[in-house]
């Protein structure tokens, strides 16, 4: 056997390891499915100008990404994306939401919509902060 250190992006290794962890987790996980959930807004040319992506499992909606293009910000689009995700998650039986955001991103946006910081990672990646936020959906 031999250990190897890899300093370049290796998608095959990353996917292999992720799949192995997923196989292990599904054997021990108390829920049997994790369903993707997304909402997008397209302009008249079919270009995505805003969107939100996540997944639901058990009681939880986990939001991975919420993005609104610079020229669309300030028009309530982020709020509509988030509300739609939360409503669809409620329809799937979810009663909680988890997301994370960085200090220069959307913490005030989420706080004004009922999210609160569960945990803050300081000095991330050097001098910033990462906030793990939750909200009850019921």
């Amino acid at each position: 056997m031999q250990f190897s250190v890899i300093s370049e992006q290796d998608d095959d290794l990353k996917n292999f390891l992720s799949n192995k962890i997923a196989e292990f987790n599904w054997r021990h996980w108390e829920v049997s499915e994790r369903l993707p959930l997304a909402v997008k807004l397209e302009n008249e040319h079919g270009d995505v100008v805003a969107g939100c992506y996540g997944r639901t499992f058990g009681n939880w909606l986990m939001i991975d990404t919420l993005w609104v293009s610079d020229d669309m910000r300030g028009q309530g689009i982020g709020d509509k994306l988030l509300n739609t995700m939360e409503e669809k998650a409620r329809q799937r039986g979810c009663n909680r939401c988890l997301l994370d955001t960085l200090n220069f991103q959307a913490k005030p946006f989420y706080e004004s919509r009922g999210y609160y910081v569960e945990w803050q990672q300081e000095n991330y990646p050097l001098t910033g902060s990462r906030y793990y936020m939750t909200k009850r959906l019921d």
Side-chain angles (χ1 to χ4, degrees):
M1 287 201 267
Q2 177 181 332
F3 285 100
S4 299
V5 176
I6 302 164
S7 299
E8 301 86 31
Q9 181 72 27
D10 188 334
D11 290 334
D12 290 337
L13 178 60
K14 178 182 175 185
N15 291 335
F16 173 82
L17 296 173
S18 293
N19 289 336
K20 290 300 181 183
I21 290 291
E23 287 174 15
F24 175 83
N25 289 350
W26 284 118
R27 288 194 309 265
H28 302 281
W29 196 265
E30 63 184 336
V31 296
S32 60
E33 62 183 358
R34 190 168 54 180
L35 302 173
L37 183 61
V39 181
K40 68 178 179 178
L41 175 64
E42 297 176 323
N43 66 15
E44 62 277 3
H45 306 293
D47 300 320
V48 176
V49 295
C52 188
Y53 195 90
R55 58 195 178 275
T56 60
F57 52 95
N59 294 323
W60 290 89
L61 163 63
M62 181 177 283
I63 294 179
D64 295 317
T65 305
L66 190 153
W67 172 78
V68 178
S69 64
D70 290 341
D71 58 328
M72 301 300 291
R73 290 185 183 159
Q75 300 178 38
I77 293 169
D79 197 46
K80 289 177 186 170
L81 291 170
L82 190 58
N83 288 338
T84 303
M85 290 287 284
E86 291 174 355
E87 181 55 35
K88 294 299 180 186
R90 281 187 202 92
Q91 292 171 10
R92 292 183 180 182
C94 298
N95 57 29
R96 292 177 171 81
C97 182
L98 170 68
L99 57 84
D100 68 88
T101 190
L102 300 172
N103 58 293
F104 57 87
Q105 289 179 326
K107 181 177 171 263
F109 169 81
Y110 292 118
E111 286 175 326
S112 70
R113 284 146 184 89
Y115 287 79
Y116 65 95
V117 175
E118 287 278 350
W119 181 62
Q120 175 181 345
Q121 177 62 56
E122 296 182 21
N123 301 314
Y124 185 89
L126 294 174
T127 61
S129 293
R130 185 172 186 174
Y131 303 97
Y132 295 85
M133 304 179 79
T134 61
K135 176 182 177 179
R136 290 194 60 90
L137 300 178
D138 47 9

